[in-house]
Amino acid sequence: KVVQTPHGRVGALNCFEHLQPLTKYAMYAQNEQIHVAGWPCLGILGNVPALSPEPIMAASQTYALEGSTFVITATQIMS
């Protein structure tokens, strides 16, 4: 769900939700302006091709282009 904030209409998806066309369409249809893209730790999943840093950044950039929105790509830190 996209919510109205003082900074604009903000929404978020997590991980592989960014690869689901109907999920993305639902967010775009709500006039999302700022999107928070949550992803697994970029450093430890390099051996999983779909979750390595390059595909994650490509999916985030694609989301920004398709949705005409600003995207903040967030990840967690794991030791």
Side-chain angles (χ1 to χ4, degrees), residues 13-45:
L13 293 175
N14 189 36
C15 198
F16 274 99
E17 292 174 339
H18 291 93
L19 305 178
Q20 303 299 316
L22 293 178
T23 302
K24 295 191 303 180
Y25 177 78
M27 301 298 280
Y28 302 155
Q30 295 176 65
N31 299 316
E32 184 181 33
Q33 295 172 305
I34 302 167
H35 178 76
V36 180
W39 292 98
C41 183
L42 292 176
I44 67 167
L45 294 173

